[in-house]
């Protein structure tokens, strides 16, 4: 069983922020922003490439609820999913990173700006 499934099953502690029948939101163990929440479907799906549109429909509403609950719905946030090896996905259970609580860095320059090795 993967570590996020263990958090769903309450086998390991997850510091839960929000929960519904099908989705779970909990704080990232190593936050990269003042607010850094991981949002997952309770049912195991490996990655974004494997998820169905029906799950994503529910996920959209759930993510919006989480953003409102932690008070970043108006100030803004970044939503990220790393998919597969090149995407840098380390935990193979679909998750969205919800980052906010401060102005986030983003390189808007058009010169020599690349995000690949
Ligand atoms: P990925 O690199 O797969 O997109 O993101 C995995 C995230 O899970 C990382 O940001 C990492 O800090 C977080 N993480 C890894 N293990 C645990 C854990 O046991 N509990 C929590 N809450 N977060 C974890
Ligand atoms: Zn899992």
């Amino acid at each position: 069983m993967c570590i996020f499934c263990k958090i769903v099953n309450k086998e390991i502690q997850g510091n839960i922020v929000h929960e519904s029948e099908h989705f779970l939101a909990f704080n990232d163990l190593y936050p990269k922003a003042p607010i850094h929440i991981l949002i997952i479907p309770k049912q195991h799906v490996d990655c974004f490439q494997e998820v169905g549109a029906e799950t994503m429909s529910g996920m959209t509403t759930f993510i919006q609820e989480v953003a409102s609950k932690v008070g970043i719905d108006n100030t803004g946030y970044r939503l990220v999913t790393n998919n597969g090896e090149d995407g840098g996905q380390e935990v193979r259970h679909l998750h969205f990173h919800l980052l906010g609580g401060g102005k986030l860095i983003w390189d808007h320059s058009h010169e020599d700006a690349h995000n690949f090795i």
Side-chain angles (χ1 to χ4, degrees), residues 27-46:
N27 288 314
D28 197 292
L29 206 52
Y30 306 102
K32 294 190 189 301
I35 293 172
H36 186 172
I37 296 167
L38 299 174
I39 301 170
I40 65 169
K42 287 184 175 177
Q43 189 167 21
H44 184 97
V45 180
D46 273 5

Side-chain angles (χ1 to χ4, degrees), residues 101-114:
K103 189 99 180 146
L104 302 170
I105 295 165
W106 183 265
D107 185 358
H108 286 95
S109 74
H110 294 188
E111 299 155 23
D112 287 336
H114 39 77

Side-chain angles (χ1 to χ4, degrees), residues 2 4-5 44 92-93:
C2 88
F4 288 178
C5 281
H44 184 97
R92 299 289 168 137
H93 180 132

Side-chain angles (χ1 to χ4, degrees), residues 3-4 26-30 38 82 88-91 95 97:
I3 53 165
F4 288 178
F26 52 95
N27 288 314
D28 197 292
L29 206 52
Y30 306 102
L38 299 174
N82 297 323
Q89 184 179 4
E90 290 189 337
V91 177
H95 53 281
H97 298 258

Side-chain angles (χ1 to χ4, degrees), residues 4 8 18-26 37-68 77 79-83 89 91-98:
F4 288 178
V8 170
H18 195 49
E19 183 165 11
S20 73
E21 186 183 353
H22 298 297
F23 305 102
L24 190 65
F26 52 95
I37 296 167
L38 299 174
I39 301 170
I40 65 169
K42 287 184 175 177
Q43 189 167 21
H44 184 97
V45 180
D46 273 5
C47 61
F48 182 75
Q49 192 60 31
E50 304 291 327
V51 74
E54 199 181 316
T55 299
M56 282 309 303
S57 172
M59 182 77 108
T60 299
T61 306
F62 185 79
I63 291 169
Q64 291 163 348
E65 283 172 15
V66 174
S68 298
Y77 54 84
L79 191 64
V80 177
T81 188
N82 297 323
N83 187 95
Q89 184 179 4
V91 177
R92 299 289 168 137
H93 180 132
L94 172 65
H95 53 281
F96 286 84
H97 298 258
L98 179 67

